[in-house]
Amino acid sequence: MHALGNEHLSKAEWRDRVTRARAGQAAESHAREASALVSAVAKVTANTVCAYLPFGTEPGTTAFVDALAAGGARVLLPVIRSRTDPLDWAEYTGEAELVPSRFRGIREPGGKRLGTEAVGAAELVLVPALAVDSRGVRLGRGAGHYDRSLVFAAAGATLLAVVRDEELVERLPGEPHDVRMTGALTPGRGVVELPV
């Protein structure tokens, strides 16, 4: 388990710390980690996977999603309907079919919307995170899209927070409504089962 600092930080302080660390990452390091994530996710097998397209300083690239599809999985990507609704989902059919979201910097599939409950068809859900702790508490960006959406996930689905190695930490502040992750996917360690 890594520590980015004091475990007594608030969620806002954690977000600030991780965001600054990601912004300071060298491009070569990001590319190496993205390649490692593609290798790690290529070993994962599932019929249906809910994933996402990394953007900005998030770990990974579109190749991460392509690797899932190349492995034979049906890949569903999130569609943000509003700032307060659960996520909608649409099938990923290739980078050429992606369109800009109404939210800046985010791309989404241009095809048919499958509804908020489509996440229930996935055996595996890859979840963006700023950090995740040893208990499975995930720190997101604070919009709550995934907390509102993961309640529709199938019982027994694998929920993996995708983070850099140093973002798998001992303890984060958690709340009762937080949906716990069953694991983390990191560049250096691959899939790590949680809680540890």
Side-chain angles (χ1 to χ4, degrees):
M1 231 32 65
H2 294 278
L4 283 173
N6 191 324
E7 65 183 42
H8 302 292
L9 298 175
S10 70
K11 283 187 175 185
E13 290 167 325
W14 271 109
R15 284 186 184 106
D16 182 60
R17 182 167 287 201
V18 175
T19 301
R20 279 189 284 115
R22 284 184 176 182
Q25 183 183 23
E28 302 81 29
S29 173
H30 186 274
R32 266 194 318 277
E33 287 182 355
S35 178
L37 283 173
V38 168
S39 297
V41 86
K43 297 174 186 167
V44 175
T45 57
N47 291 322
T48 302
V49 178
C50 283
Y52 65 96
L53 294 169
F55 77 100
T57 59
E58 289 179 337
T61 63
T62 307
F64 169 77
V65 177
D66 288 329
L68 290 165
R74 177 180 186 228
V75 180
L76 306 182
L77 297 179
V79 176
I80 303 172
R81 298 185 307 179
S82 76
R83 295 196 184 280
T84 57
D85 286 327
L87 297 167
D88 200 341
W89 300 89
E91 189 166 352
Y92 176 68
T93 55
E95 191 165 7
E97 304 302 318
L98 297 174
V99 298
S101 166
R102 42 191 284 225
F103 296 94
R104 192 177 64 156
I106 298 175
R107 296 180 301 157
E108 58 194 29
K112 179 183 175 189
R113 304 300 185 242
L114 303 174
T116 57
E117 295 184 8
V119 67
E123 300 94 351
L124 171 64
V125 183
L126 299 174
V127 184
L130 289 172
V132 65
D133 76 10
S134 61
R135 302 168 299 152
V137 173
R138 171 188 158 269
L139 179 69
R141 293 180 177 270
H145 287 113
Y146 278 88
D147 287 322
R148 288 188 293 275
S149 301
L150 292 176
V151 296
F152 297 106
T158 300
L159 307 177
L160 295 182
V162 182
V163 293
R164 299 176 68 209
D165 291 278
E166 58 270 21
E167 296 163 356
L168 176 54
V169 300
E170 192 59 43
R171 193 167 188 88
L172 291 167
E175 297 175 35
H177 69 268
D178 292 338
V179 175
R180 299 284 174 112
M181 300 293 101
T182 62
L185 178 66
T186 77
R189 296 174 64 187
V191 175
V192 179
E193 287 189 24
L194 299 174
V196 292

